Amino acid sequence: MENVVITIARQYGSGGKTIGAMLAQSLGVNCYSREILRLASEESGINERLFGQIDECLKIPSWFKPLKRPYEGELLPPESGNFVSDDNLFNYQAKIIKDLAESESCVIIGRCADYVLRNYPNVISVFIHADKEFCIARGLERNSMTRREMERYINRTDKYRGDFYKYHTGREWTDARNYDLCLDSGKLGFEKCVEEIKGYMKIRFGE
């Protein structure tokens, strides 16, 4: 198999983005996170700022039901009145994710990439999580907040990610059945998480 793509969904503070970057470096491939927003902006001609406003979060009120519209792949043309709608912005990101999966081996962080690429045989989907204390401690290392502020920030960020995932996929973000691997970074550490993913790659795809 020419290309192998690893998608990484992650709880805030679990180090999923760092693990993804470490994995990409170890494999000698690119790691894509917010770069997807820039690429989607270039593809569509839509200002990157608009992509940033809906990056892994919903502008739709949390009380809105049904809170889901699973991605189907349709791209609206510039003349459409919904060209810069949240759904179309997501669809352009999804197009970039598909283009990357078809053109190169890489690591893709977040943005429902596991769902967008769910029918691709060359994809490994990973969910990185850790217990509350680990995530809080790591968050406090990187941000100037009180413990209580950090706890609220983590809860809010994970809720945004979970709602975003459910809206665009119809699935629960933390459901292990959505992923090939679920790894506890607090117990394994980042390097061993990388080793586990590479070990799975070897078992699944061979040398």
Side-chain angles (χ1 to χ4, degrees), residues 112-135:
C112 306
D114 61 282
Y115 183 83
V116 172
L117 302 177
R118 65 194 182 282
N119 295 322
Y120 283 55
N122 61 326
V123 174
I124 294 171
S125 57
V126 181
F127 185 79
I128 304 293
H129 61 98
D131 65 33
K132 176 180 174 181
E133 291 304 315
F134 181 89
C135 293

Side-chain angles (χ1 to χ4, degrees), residues 6 18-31 107 190-191 193-195 197-199 201:
I6 300 94
T18 300
I19 290 167
M22 290 170 61
L23 175 64
Q25 183 176 23
S26 176
L27 296 173
V29 302
N30 291 319
C31 181
V107 177
F190 294 176
E191 291 184 359
C193 282
V194 171
E195 291 175 11
I197 297 169
K198 291 175 69 176
M201 291 173 62

